[in-house]
């Protein structure tokens, strides 16, 4: 039986409309709590208002402890142990948002207009934990409507946050957004650590957009590291992108240009391996945020030591699995053959042609499965595979370890000269000692 046609993805305005409605509901809650606080304790007043809003929003909003409020100057409300969860679903026990502390500051004109003139002075969240799948499910269940973004004059500040996705998370999330105006440029500082299987990626970025809503030109500058049991990659990066309207759900950036100044520090290596990397292509992120595709993609690498100079093109997709396909050339080979690598025998070492290569990977997102490698030479060909962690370990110990890389596969050569002897029709089988059969 064929699968039914999937429902169309909800538009961004539809989701923004319900985020706006949620903010209006919070504004009304504050206004009501302030108006009745002379008759009831503010905690009880706020609970009564939130209970009445529950059927309209489809949300259960709770808090614990005392409510702090201020009326002098700009009204301000502070609540603790805030929990927001969708109602009437099997996952209603999973909070969409939980925060140790929430601060909301509103000007009097917003309160008097009951949210019709939605301007917010300041938003603060301490230790918020957002469950992204629950938020998307709630937004998808809301009817369509206006997606106008509220103005936040004195910014948004998030500390010690956490964002949970399907199979990944960001913890230590911090956001400093000085202000938010729909038709003005946006600048923000964002940081945290991404966790994906065995990989951790701490980052700290300054991001810029030409508009807060319907932005077209995007920039990011900062640092990003990738930490694995095999070592650590530290980078300083610059990224520039143009957002386009794509036919597919989600959002697309084309072109996306990334320049990276990086260094790889192996777990057992004394010195880091420096290199520079350039990426150019089109990025697409699926509507559910769980599938990322970079295709077509171009890459240029310039390195030192065991890092070769190369150019390549292909595609990358990251979701439940990582898929990689690259085809390229090591330029001016063997002139670009790293001096730290084992010397090649003639006539392989006599060639001045670039060395074509192909990489293929389809496996776990932490790149723990073997990656297929094919090398073409005018006198030889290699077909095989290797594990990235094993290759990085070999690079780190190359000066004192085995001169042969941990590869599995077959090398064929028309002719090889070794110690004055000429061997023709050479076939060499590489075994990395894993016990698996070479491809």
């Amino acid at each position: 039986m064929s699968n039914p046609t999937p429902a169309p993805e909800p538009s961004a305005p539809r989701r923004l409309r319900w985020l706006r409605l949620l903010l209006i509901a919070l504004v009304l809650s504050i206004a009501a709590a302030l108006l009745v606080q002379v008759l009831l304790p503010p905690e009880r007043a706020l609970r009564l208002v939130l209970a009445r809003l529950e059927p309209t929003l489809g949300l259960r909003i709770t808090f614990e402890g005392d409510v702090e409020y201020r009326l002098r100057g700009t009204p301000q409300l502070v609540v603790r142990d805030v929990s927001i969860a969708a109602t009437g679903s099997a996952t209603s026990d999973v909070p969409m948002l939980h925060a140790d502390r929430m601060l909301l500051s509103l000007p009097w004109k917003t309160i008097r207009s009951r949210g019709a003139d939605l301007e917010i002075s300041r938003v603060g969240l301490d230790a918020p934990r957002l469950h992204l799948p629950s938020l998307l499910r709630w937004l998808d269940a809301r009817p369509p409507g206006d997606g106008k973004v509220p103005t936040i004059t004195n910014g948004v500040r998030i500390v010690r946050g956490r964002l949970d996705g399907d199979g990944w998370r960001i913890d230590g999330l911090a956001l400093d957004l000085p202000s938010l105006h729909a038709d003005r440029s946006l600048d923000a500082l964002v940081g945290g650590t991404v966790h994906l299987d065995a990989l951790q990626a701490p980052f700290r970025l300054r991001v810029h957009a030409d508009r807060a809503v319907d932005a077209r030109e995007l920039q990011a500058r900062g640092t990003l590291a990738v930490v694995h049991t095999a070592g650590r990659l530290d980078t300083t990066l610059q990224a520039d992108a143009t957002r386009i309207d794509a036919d597919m759900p989600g959002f697309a950036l084309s072109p996306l240009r990334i320049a990276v100044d990086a260094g790889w520090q192996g777990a057992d290596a004394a010195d880091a391996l420096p290199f520079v990397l350039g990426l150019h292509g089109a990025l697409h992120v699926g509507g559910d945020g769980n599938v990322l595709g970079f295709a077509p993609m171009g890459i240029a690498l310039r390195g030192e030591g065991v890092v070769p100079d190369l150019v390549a093109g292909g595609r990358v997709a990251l979701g439940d699995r990582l898929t990689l396909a690259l085809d390229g050339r090591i330029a001016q080979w063997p002139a670009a053959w790293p001096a730290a690598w084992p010397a090649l025998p003639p006539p392989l070492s006599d060639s001045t042609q670039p060395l074509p290569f192909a990489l293929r990977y389809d496996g776990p997102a932490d790149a723990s499965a073997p990656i297929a490698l094919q090398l073409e030479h005018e006198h030889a060909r290699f077909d095989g595979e290797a594990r990235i962690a094993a290759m990085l370990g070999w690079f780190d110990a190359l000066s004192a370890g085995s001169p042969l890389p941990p590869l599995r596969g077959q090398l064929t050569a028309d002719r090889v000269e070794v110690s004055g002897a000429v061997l023709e029709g050479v076939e060499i089988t590489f075994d990395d000692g894993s016990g698996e059969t070479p491809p």
Side-chain angles (χ1 to χ4, degrees):
M1 183 173 63
S2 60
N3 292 327
T5 302
E9 289 286 335
S11 63
R14 172 175 167 178
R15 288 177 171 175
L16 287 173
R17 186 254 184 183
W18 279 95
L19 290 175
R20 174 182 169 85
L21 183 58
L22 177 58
L23 288 173
I24 292 176
L26 293 176
V27 169
L28 294 176
S29 301
I30 294 175
L34 294 176
L35 290 174
V36 303
Q37 57 95 15
V38 296
L39 301 175
L40 295 173
E43 296 84 7
R44 185 178 176 188
L46 188 55
R47 293 183 198 278
L48 288 173
V49 173
L50 292 176
R52 292 197 173 190
L53 289 173
E54 181 176 314
T56 302
L57 296 176
L59 292 174
R60 183 177 65 255
I61 306 175
T62 62
F63 64 92
E64 299 293 336
D66 297 336
V67 175
E68 300 176 16
Y69 62 91
R70 183 188 69 192
L71 300 180
R72 182 178 300 176
T74 302
Q76 177 178 293
L77 183 74
V78 178
V79 291
R80 290 180 169 78
D81 288 331
V82 182
S83 181
I84 303 176
T87 60
S89 69
T91 58
S92 61
D93 58 332
V94 179
M96 189 168 65
L97 173 69
H98 182 275
D100 287 356
R101 178 178 177 271
M102 178 183 291
L103 178 149
L104 191 61
S105 179
L106 303 166
W108 278 109
K109 67 176 183 178
T110 298
I111 297 175
R112 293 190 185 102
S113 69
R114 299 181 181 180
D117 184 4
L118 186 54
E119 179 180 300
I120 299 173
S121 296
R122 187 157 61 99
V123 176
L125 293 171
D126 292 356
R129 182 168 180 172
L130 177 64
H131 189 252
L132 185 59
S134 296
L135 172 62
L136 295 177
R137 282 192 294 269
W138 177 75
L139 291 172
D140 292 346
R142 303 299 101 194
D146 177 26
K148 185 178 178 181
V149 172
T151 296
I152 304 178
T153 56
N154 293 322
V156 178
R157 186 168 184 266
I158 296 174
V159 295
R160 298 182 293 116
R162 173 166 169 163
L163 176 63
D164 290 321
D166 282 332
W168 59 271
R169 74 178 192 276
I170 301 176
D171 60 19
L173 183 63
L175 173 68
D176 189 354
L177 176 65
S179 64
L180 179 66
H181 300 266
D183 57 350
R184 299 183 191 176
S185 62
L186 179 148
D187 291 277
L189 285 173
V190 59
T193 300
V194 180
H195 295 261
L196 177 64
D197 295 332
L199 297 177
Q200 293 87 46
F203 64 93
R204 182 172 177 80
L205 300 172
R206 180 180 295 276
V207 296
H208 170 82
D210 59 345
R211 287 173 55 91
V213 177
D214 293 330
R216 293 296 176 189
E217 302 301 322
L218 308 171
Q219 297 178 351
R221 304 285 188 271
T223 60
L224 169 68
V226 179
V227 183
H228 190 268
T229 54
R232 179 186 177 100
L233 177 68
D234 288 291
T235 74
T236 300
L237 65 84
Q238 300 182 23
D240 299 271
T242 300
R243 188 176 68 86
I244 62 173
D245 292 324
D247 296 333
M248 299 176 289
F251 74 92
L253 303 176
S254 182
L256 170 61
R257 298 173 294 272
I258 303 176
V260 177
D261 189 351
W264 169 260
Q265 181 68 59
D268 300 322
D271 300 321
L273 300 176
F275 62 91
V276 293
L277 176 70
L279 295 169
H280 185 281
L283 178 75
H284 177 255
V285 180
D288 58 2
N290 291 326
V291 178
L292 181 150
F294 198 6
M297 177 188 71
I299 180 172
L301 176 67
R302 300 289 182 268
E304 299 178 12
V306 298
V307 181
D309 294 350
L310 61 84
V311 292
R315 58 185 175 83
V316 176
L318 177 62
D320 294 334
R321 298 171 64 84
L322 171 64
T323 302
L324 168 70
L326 283 180
D327 295 273
R329 294 171 178 267
I330 297 177
Q332 298 180 346
W333 185 83
W337 189 259
W341 288 14
L344 296 171
L348 304 182
S349 60
D350 298 335
S351 174
T352 59
Q353 298 299 314
L355 177 65
F357 70 91
L359 292 176
R360 299 290 186 271
Y361 179 85
D362 185 10
D366 62 356
S368 58
I371 185 168
L373 170 64
Q374 183 182 96
L375 296 171
E376 290 277 1
H377 183 269
E378 55 185 326
H379 301 294
R381 175 188 176 99
F382 174 79
D383 286 283
E385 61 184 33
R387 294 184 184 272
I388 294 178
M391 287 296 295
L392 293 174
W394 175 71
F395 284 146
D396 294 341
L398 187 57
S399 60
S402 170
L404 296 178
L407 300 171
R408 291 189 294 118
Q410 191 83 16
L411 172 66
T412 59
D414 298 338
R415 184 170 61 90
V416 174
E417 298 178 16
V418 181
S419 301
V422 178
L423 305 177
E424 296 183 347
V426 176
E427 294 185 3
I428 301 175
T429 298
F430 285 80
D431 186 350
D432 62 358
S434 65
E436 301 178 14
T437 303

